[in-house]
Amino acid sequence: GEGETSRARSAAGEVARRLRVRLADECRKSGVESLCRVIGKNGLAYPCDAALRYDGVNAVFAMHVDTAGADNDRTSADGGTARGRFDLGKGDTVTAVLPLQGHVYDVREGVYIGYTNRIETTMIPGWTRLYSIMRDAPIDLTVAGPKFVRAGDCVAVDFSADGATGPQVFHIEVRDPSGKSAWRFRQNMRTEGNRGSFSYASALNDMSGLWKIEVTHVNTGRKRVHEFEMSLQ
């Protein structure tokens, strides 16, 4: 429906799209401003879902366009999900203006955009853009832990997004010597500051060899790997 596989649109879908643009412009003219604005290349409010959430001194910003498409009659056939893929080279050029300035990172791409309150990008139907806005940019991501572990012992690592302030989010994965990562060894962790720790109990029959604990600082996309040798009892 709504032109997901063709350039055709239902009358109801088109009316809803235009109404959202008109309502946003009328609110602006009346002095009612949203916390964040998303502007299309035509200079008008871009019809998409946008959300800004604060987490202490940092924030997260997201934008999403449904699979009916958005500006210029674009549909999911123009880079969206109609063919089961996303063509990020197509879509609508937009500019998001935020009410705060900070170090902006594209979370999904792991790319630093800069110290700004404006984000220029391309919106693709069905694809969500996710950004973190940090008051202070981390200098480095460090991970420390044991170099040798006996099967059955507890394995623990400490990690830090050095230089960052406020709550942070980390993703941890444990990989065995074959490179596999079991779901029970994966964890998302929110810390009140820039430091955290992770531990788990290894099994007596764990595979011997070189194990890896991969820590990702979700806010910036930075990754670090700690390696340790697992030996049998």
Side-chain angles (χ1 to χ4, degrees):
E2 298 296 327
E4 289 185 23
T5 57
S6 71
R7 302 195 69 86
R9 284 182 181 276
S10 71
E14 181 63 17
V15 169
R17 185 186 74 87
R18 295 188 181 187
L19 180 61
R20 292 170 67 182
V21 175
R22 179 66 180 272
L23 179 61
D25 289 336
E26 290 300 323
C27 287
R28 178 179 53 79
K29 293 176 183 178
S30 301
V32 179
E33 291 284 353
S34 59
L35 281 177
C36 44
R37 293 182 293 134
V38 183
I39 305 169
K41 63 181 180 181
N42 56 8
L44 301 177
Y46 183 78
C48 70
D49 296 319
L52 177 67
R53 297 290 184 269
Y54 288 91
D55 189 15
V57 297
N58 305 314
V60 176
F61 176 67
M63 295 184 291
H64 176 80
V65 179
D66 63 30
T67 53
D71 204 11
N72 299 325
D73 291 326
R74 291 190 185 276
T75 69
S76 54
D78 294 311
T81 58
R83 297 189 178 93
R85 61 179 176 79
F86 292 96
D87 186 348
L88 300 182
K90 298 181 180 179
D92 302 320
T93 301
V94 303
T95 301
V97 183
L98 307 179
L100 75 161
Q101 192 160 344
H103 295 277
V104 180
Y105 294 82
D106 186 321
V107 173
R108 302 186 77 172
E109 301 295 330
V111 174
Y112 178 61
I113 294 177
Y115 187 80
T116 182
N117 72 329
R118 300 174 68 89
I119 301 171
E120 296 184 2
T121 188
T122 301
M123 295 299 294
I124 307 295
W127 187 261
T128 299
R129 297 288 186 181
L130 182 63
Y131 304 91
S132 70
I133 303 99
M134 302 184 63
R135 189 183 71 177
D136 300 302
I139 301 171
D140 196 10
L141 174 63
T142 58
V143 183
K147 293 296 184 182
F148 301 94
V149 175
R150 290 192 306 174
D153 288 350
C154 179
V155 184
V157 295
D158 298 316
F159 47 85
S160 173
D162 301 329
T165 54
Q168 308 293 316
V169 179
F170 298 88
H171 177 74
I172 300 97
E173 291 194 20
V174 180
R175 301 186 183 278
D176 65 24
S178 71
K180 294 182 180 179
S181 174
W183 67 267
R184 64 183 181 279
F185 293 149
R186 300 172 190 167
Q187 181 176 341
N188 293 321
M189 182 182 300
R190 177 185 178 276
T191 60
E192 290 299 330
N194 64 359
R195 298 177 180 275
S197 61
F198 168 80
S199 63
Y200 77 99
S202 64
L204 291 172
N205 62 347
D206 269 343
M207 187 185 305
S208 63
L210 188 65
W211 286 64
K212 299 179 180 181
I213 299 180
E214 182 181 86
V215 178
T216 302
H217 183 226
V218 177
N219 302 65
T220 62
R222 292 186 180 182
K223 299 177 184 291
R224 288 291 183 270
V225 176
H226 174 73
E227 299 181 342
F228 63 94
E229 193 74 24
M230 179 78 74
S231 61
L232 299 179
Q233 293 280 6

